[in-house]
Coordinates of all heavy atoms in Angstrom, one line a residue:
T70 N 115.0 113.5 94.5 CA 116.2 114.3 94.1 C 117.5 114.0 94.9 O 117.3 113.9 96.1 CB 115.8 115.8 94.2 OG1 114.6 116.1 93.5 CG2 117.0 116.6 93.6
V71 N 118.6 113.7 94.3 CA 119.8 113.5 95.0 C 120.7 114.7 94.9 O 120.5 115.5 93.9 CB 120.5 112.2 94.5 CG1 119.7 111.0 94.8 CG2 120.7 112.3 92.9
F72 N 121.7 114.8 95.7 CA 122.6 115.9 95.8 C 124.0 115.5 95.8 O 124.4 114.4 96.3 CB 122.3 116.8 97.1 CG 120.9 117.3 97.1 CD1 119.9 116.5 97.7 CD2 120.5 118.5 96.6 CE1 118.6 116.9 97.7 CE2 119.1 119.0 96.8 CZ 118.2 118.1 97.4
A73 N 125.0 116.4 95.3 CA 126.3 116.1 95.3 C 127.0 117.4 95.3 O 126.3 118.6 95.2 CB 126.6 115.3 94.0
Y85 N 119.6 110.0 89.6 CA 120.5 108.8 89.4 C 120.1 108.4 87.9 O 119.1 108.3 87.5 CB 120.4 107.7 90.3 CG 121.0 107.9 91.6 CD1 120.4 107.8 92.8 CD2 122.4 108.3 91.6 CE1 120.9 107.9 94.0 CE2 123.0 108.4 92.9 CZ 122.2 108.3 94.1 OH 122.9 108.5 95.3
M116 N 121.2 124.2 102.4 CA 122.3 123.3 102.7 C 123.6 124.0 102.8 O 124.4 123.8 103.7 CB 122.3 122.2 101.7 CG 121.1 121.3 101.7 SD 121.2 120.1 100.3 CE 122.8 119.2 100.5
R122 N 126.0 118.7 104.3 CA 126.8 118.2 103.2 C 125.9 117.1 102.6 O 125.3 116.2 103.2 CB 128.1 117.6 103.6 CG 129.1 118.6 104.2 CD 130.3 117.9 104.8 NE 131.0 117.0 104.0 CZ 131.7 116.0 104.4 NH1 131.9 115.7 105.7 NH2 132.3 115.2 103.5
P123 N 126.0 117.0 101.2 CA 125.3 115.8 100.5 C 126.0 114.5 100.9 O 127.2 114.5 101.1 CB 125.5 116.1 99.0 CG 125.9 117.6 99.0 CD 126.6 117.9 100.2
Y124 N 125.2 113.4 101.0 CA 125.8 112.1 101.2 C 126.5 111.6 100.0 O 126.0 111.6 98.9 CB 124.6 111.2 101.7 CG 125.2 109.8 102.2 CD1 125.7 109.6 103.4 CD2 125.1 108.7 101.2 CE1 126.2 108.3 103.8 CE2 125.5 107.4 101.6 CZ 126.0 107.2 102.8 OH 126.5 106.0 103.2
D125 N 127.7 111.1 100.2 CA 128.5 110.4 99.1 C 128.4 108.9 99.2 O 128.8 108.2 100.2 CB 129.9 110.9 99.2 CG 130.7 110.5 98.0 OD1 130.4 109.4 97.4 OD2 131.5 111.3 97.5
L126 N 127.8 108.3 98.3 CA 127.6 106.8 98.2 C 129.0 106.1 98.2 O 129.1 105.1 98.9 CB 126.8 106.3 97.1 CG 125.3 106.6 97.1 CD1 124.7 106.2 95.7 CD2 124.6 105.7 98.2
G129 N 130.7 107.1 101.9 CA 129.8 107.0 103.1 C 129.9 108.3 103.9 O 129.4 108.3 105.1
G131 N 129.1 112.6 104.6 CA 127.9 113.5 104.3 C 126.6 113.1 105.0 O 126.6 112.1 105.8
L132 N 125.7 114.0 104.8 CA 124.4 113.8 105.6 C 123.1 113.5 104.8 O 122.5 112.5 104.9 CB 124.1 114.9 106.5 CG 122.9 114.9 107.5 CD1 123.0 113.8 108.4 CD2 122.9 116.3 108.2
L133 N 122.9 114.4 103.9 CA 121.5 114.4 103.1 C 121.7 113.4 102.0 O 122.3 113.7 101.0 CB 121.2 115.9 102.7 CG 119.7 115.8 102.0 CD1 118.7 115.6 103.1 CD2 119.5 117.3 101.4
R134 N 120.9 112.3 102.1 CA 120.9 111.3 101.1 C 120.2 111.8 99.8 O 120.6 111.8 98.7 CB 120.3 110.0 101.6 CG 121.2 109.1 102.5 CD 120.5 108.0 102.9 NE 121.4 107.0 103.5 CZ 122.2 106.1 102.9 NH1 122.2 106.1 101.7 NH2 122.9 105.3 103.7
H135 N 118.8 112.1 100.1 CA 118.1 112.7 99.0 C 116.8 113.3 99.5 O 116.5 113.1 100.8 CB 117.6 111.5 98.0 CG 116.6 110.6 98.5 ND1 117.0 109.4 99.4 CD2 115.2 110.4 98.4 CE1 115.9 108.8 99.6 NE2 114.9 109.3 99.1
T136 N 116.0 114.0 98.7 CA 114.7 114.5 99.3 C 113.6 113.9 98.4 O 113.8 113.3 97.3 CB 114.7 116.0 99.0 OG1 114.9 116.3 97.7 CG2 115.6 116.8 99.9
L151 N 113.0 114.9 104.1 CA 114.4 115.0 104.0 C 115.0 113.7 104.5 O 114.9 113.3 105.8 CB 114.9 116.1 105.0 CG 114.3 117.5 104.7 CD1 114.6 118.5 105.8 CD2 114.7 118.1 103.4
V152 N 115.8 113.0 103.7 CA 116.3 111.7 104.0 C 117.7 111.8 104.3 O 118.6 112.2 103.5 CB 116.1 110.7 102.9 CG1 116.5 109.2 103.3 CG2 114.5 110.6 102.5
T153 N 118.1 111.5 105.6 CA 119.6 111.6 106.0 C 120.1 110.3 106.5 O 119.4 109.4 106.8 CB 119.6 112.6 107.2 OG1 118.9 112.1 108.3 CG2 119.0 114.0 106.8
A154 N 121.4 110.4 106.6 CA 122.2 109.1 106.8 C 122.2 108.9 108.4 O 122.6 107.9 108.8 CB 123.5 109.1 106.3
S155 N 122.0 110.0 109.2 CA 122.0 109.9 110.6 C 120.9 110.8 111.2 O 120.4 111.6 110.4 CB 123.4 110.4 111.1 OG 123.4 111.8 111.1
N181 N 113.4 111.7 107.6 CA 113.4 110.3 107.5 C 115.0 110.0 107.8 O 115.8 110.5 107.1 CB 112.9 109.7 106.3 CG 113.1 108.2 106.2 OD1 114.0 107.7 105.7 ND2 112.1 107.5 106.8
I182 N 115.2 109.0 108.7 CA 116.5 108.6 109.0 C 116.9 107.2 108.2 O 116.1 106.2 108.6 CB 116.8 108.4 110.5 CG1 116.7 109.8 111.0 CG2 118.2 107.9 110.7 CD1 115.3 110.0 111.7
C183 N 117.7 107.1 107.3 CA 118.1 106.0 106.6 C 119.6 105.7 106.7 O 120.3 106.1 105.8 CB 117.6 106.1 105.1 SG 117.8 104.6 104.2
P184 N 120.1 105.0 107.8 CA 121.6 104.8 107.9 C 122.2 103.9 106.9 O 123.3 104.1 106.5 CB 121.6 104.3 109.3 CG 120.4 103.8 109.7 CD 119.3 104.5 108.8
N185 N 121.5 102.9 106.6 CA 122.2 101.9 105.7 C 121.4 101.5 104.5 O 121.5 100.5 104.0 CB 122.4 100.6 106.6 CG 123.4 100.9 107.8 OD1 124.5 101.4 107.6 ND2 122.9 100.6 109.0
G186 N 120.6 102.4 104.0 CA 119.7 102.0 102.9 C 120.4 102.1 101.5 O 121.4 102.8 101.4
M187 N 119.7 101.4 100.6 CA 120.1 101.5 99.3 C 119.7 102.9 98.7 O 119.0 103.6 99.3 CB 119.4 100.5 98.4 CG 119.9 99.1 98.7 SD 121.5 98.7 98.2 CE 121.3 98.7 96.5
P188 N 120.2 103.4 97.5 CA 119.9 104.7 97.1 C 118.4 104.8 96.9 O 117.6 103.9 96.4 CB 120.6 104.7 95.7 CG 121.7 103.8 95.9 CD 121.3 102.7 96.7
L189 N 117.9 106.0 97.3 CA 116.4 106.4 97.1 C 115.5 105.5 97.9 O 114.3 105.4 97.5 CB 116.0 106.4 95.6 CG 116.9 107.4 94.7 CD1 116.4 107.2 93.2 CD2 116.9 108.8 95.1
T190 N 115.9 105.0 99.0 CA 115.0 104.2 99.9 C 114.8 104.9 101.1 O 115.5 105.9 101.4 CB 115.6 102.9 100.3 OG1 116.9 103.0 100.9 CG2 115.8 101.9 99.0

Side-chain angles (χ1 to χ4, degrees):
T70 305
V71 292
F72 301 86
Y85 283 127
M116 288 174 67
R122 295 169 57 201
Y124 182 80
D125 191 324
L126 282 173
L132 180 62
L133 187 63
R134 282 183 172 273
H135 71 278
T136 57
L151 308 169
V152 185
T153 64
S155 76
N181 179 265
I182 298 95
C183 184
N185 300 306
M187 295 291 288
L189 301 181
T190 58

